[in-house]
Amino acid sequence: MAADPPDTDPADRDPRERGLERRSNAPAVSPWLLIGCILLLGAVIYVVSALF
């Protein structure tokens, strides 16, 4: 199967695939989620070090 030319939208493309393309511009992991996980990990390490 040949590749589609750039900037084309073939009629036989699955609409769900088009929806995934539209959402793929967002990052996979939110920066705030990453910062929150780092802070949570720091709090867990703090509590564990206080217990021992």
Side-chain angles (χ1 to χ4, degrees):
M1 181 175 203
D4 295 331
D7 298 328
T8 60
D9 191 17
D12 61 346
R13 183 179 286 182
D14 188 4
R16 291 174 294 180
E17 182 181 336
R18 203 175 313 125
L20 289 173
E21 268 183 16
R22 207 176 33 234
R23 289 190 298 258
S24 66
N25 292 334
V29 177
S30 168
W32 289 112
L33 180 63
L34 186 62
I35 291 170
C37 288
I38 291 171
L39 290 175
L40 185 62
L41 180 63
V44 168
I45 292 172
Y46 176 77
V47 168
V48 169
S49 66
L51 292 176
F52 296 106

